[in-house]
Every structure is written in structure tokens, then in C-alpha cells.
Amino acid sequence: RDAEKATSLSGDDVAPYHEKIAVQLYDEKGKPSEQGTVEEWWSGAGKDKRLYAMPSYSATVVREDGKVFRTPGVSYPPAMVELLLDQVERPLPEDSEVENAKLEMKKINYGKVPLECIMLAQPIKGLNAIPMGLFPTYCFDPGKNSLRLGFNYGTQLVIRNSIATFQERLVSLDVVVRTGDVTAAEGRIVALTKQAVTDADLATDGLVGTGNNAPVKVASGVIQGMVLKQPQPIYPQSAKDNHVAGTVVLHALIGTDGHIYRLTVQSSPDPDLAIAALAAVRQWVYRPYQLFGEPVEVETTINVNFTFGP
């Protein structure tokens, strides 16, 4: 909780502010694709305005009292841009994610930099040791609340550079997101100041109400037909030797870009099969699911079958 308060710009005791972030996105090969800016006028928890100025996405979005208003004719913001904003404003997980996790502590060196890490491991019956980074992992400067790295299911790395203090919070001025071996996005704060936010600043004139941004629940069979990239899991030798087979059931949150942002194990016949399923599925990519012509976040179930073949 101390680290959450030290890094969050969305707390009840945070005064209204204005920020501007310069964004650079990259393609799947790590080559620059587009750049732009995002500005935000934050008035309180769940009450703000964002102005996106990107070649592929230009929009005004106002959130207030659980309602969302957006420029007519535009879809949801790019998921990678939203991830950069989250890393600036609230980089740590929700309380519910922490409460349902088994906290694993470990000291690592990132290059020559020593860090203290906490992994939010899911308790898997029969498994005592979980590889670091398999589940969301947060790494801090030793003995401090300054968050420096975040691992997300082993395939996504968030690097937080140039830590500065704003309203007694530790804010990263530069955020780099890497997917696998390539850079996916970079965000740099170019303005961050206390500023009164008026009702006029949050006016919704000319915007269209879109309801909330809650994920849409989609049946596993439907989402299975939308997969674009699907590395197959490796059958653990230990499971083969013990003649263990069966289905690992995972619950997934799939972003508007088709990438998986959260995975939890619902059931598994064997702990090693659960790890093998997680290691593979976290790399799967889907065609974005659309609702009324707009890509939306999806909650779904993913079944990974382990069976003996010839």
C-alpha cells in the first residue's frame, strides 16, 4: 500500500493536474511506426479529460461518474498508448489482484542495477516454486518505493526511467515498453503541473456517450476462431513420464489490440501443465473483437488440451 500511494497519480489526496505525454509507437519488428501526444486534465478519481493527437487516432475522451464520452466516429484508444498512461498514473495492480495472489519476493540484477522484486503469483496446487516473471512482477530500487521494472507474463517488460517527484509521488518521466526482444512503445512526460480543472474543461459538448469501458464477455469457442498467433505449449516431460493429461482452463483479458493483458488459472490437472499453458498462451494474439464496429476488451476462457499422441 505504501508503494501504491507513492507511485499513483489517481489517489483521493492528489490535487487536480495537467500532463502531456509524447508517445512513440513501434511496429512488430521494433521500427518506429508513429508518434504523437496525449494530454490529460485530471480532476479526481474517475473524472478527467484526455486529448489524443496521433496519426491513427485523434479524439477527445471525457470520463465522469463511470460514464465515458468520446469524439463521434472514433473507436477505443490504442491499447499500447493506454498502457503508457497507466504506467505514468497508476503502474501498480488493483487491490483485488494483490489479495488473490501469493506474493513471491526475489532480488535480481537488471544489468548492473540491483532490484527487489515482488511477483503476484497465482497459487497452483502442487507447485512450490514458480519461475520469476511468469506472473506480473514489479521491481523496485532496494529499500525504496520507486518502481523501476514491470514484467507481465514473461513477454512484456516495462522500464521506468528518470524518476521524479510530483505531489510527493514518484513519477517516471520516461517509460519504455518492450514486447519480447523489441521495443513496442515509449512515453515521455513533457509537461506535468498542478492545475485547477473546471467544469468547462470537462464539458462533453459534441461528444457521444459510450457507456463504460467494461470488458465484453465472449464464449471460448468464438474467441478461438479469432486467433492470429498461437505458439503451441510444450508438453512437460514430467507430465509425460507420469502419464498426466487433461485440460488447463485459463481466464483471459484480451485488449483492444488483440494481445493478452491478464491470465489466471481456473483449473489444471497438474501444476507443470498449468505453467506450460501459461507460458504459451501469454504469447497468443487475436484479431480484435469488435462490438458495433469498435474494438473492445474481452473477457473469455481459454482451454489448453494436453493429450498423448502417437
Side-chain angles (χ1 to χ4, degrees), residues 14 38 51 94 111 119 125 127 144 184:
V14 176
V38 182
L51 180 62
E94 300 287 343
M119 181 171 64
K125 186 177 181 180
L127 184 66
K144 299 180 180 179

Side-chain angles (χ1 to χ4, degrees), residues 22-99:
V23 174
Q24 174 70 65
L25 301 182
Y26 297 82
D27 62 19
E28 293 185 354
K29 295 182 179 180
K31 295 182 179 180
S33 59
E34 64 172 310
Q35 59 184 2
T37 61
V38 182
E39 287 188 81
E40 179 170 19
W41 291 261
W42 190 87
S43 180
K47 190 175 182 180
D48 58 47
K49 179 175 77 172
R50 290 178 177 178
L51 180 62
Y52 299 83
M54 306 282 296
S56 65
Y57 188 81
S58 180
T60 299
V61 178
V62 174
R63 300 182 299 175
E64 187 172 2
D65 299 329
K67 298 179 181 179
V68 180
F69 301 86
R70 186 182 297 120
T71 300
V74 299
S75 61
Y76 287 80
M80 196 57 68
V81 175
E82 294 297 272
L83 175 61
L84 289 173
L85 288 171
D86 288 342
Q87 287 300 316
V88 170
E89 296 172 8
R90 188 170 183 176
L92 292 179
E94 300 287 343
D95 289 343
S96 59
E97 296 179 65
V98 177
E99 292 169 357

Side-chain angles (χ1 to χ4, degrees), residues 92-94 97-108 115-124 127-140 147 149-156 263 275 278 282:
L92 292 179
E94 300 287 343
E97 296 179 65
V98 177
E99 292 169 357
N100 297 324
K102 177 183 178 182
L103 304 185
E104 299 279 349
M105 313 288 291
K106 188 174 182 179
K107 295 182 179 181
I108 69 168
L115 298 170
E116 294 178 345
C117 302
I118 302 174
M119 181 171 64
L120 305 184
Q122 297 169 32
I124 300 176
L127 184 66
N128 295 322
I130 299 176
M132 181 61 66
L134 180 69
F135 295 103
T137 304
Y138 304 87
C139 298
F140 301 81
L147 178 64
L149 294 181
F151 297 92
N152 191 13
Y153 299 106
T155 57
Q156 186 181 87
L263 275 175
I275 288 181
L278 285 166
R282 66 191 181 187

Side-chain angles (χ1 to χ4, degrees), residues 206-228:
L207 306 181
V208 177
T210 61
N212 57 42
N213 286 338
V216 176
K217 294 184 179 181
V218 177
S220 59
V222 174
I223 205 67
Q224 182 179 356
M226 303 180 68
V227 67
L228 298 175

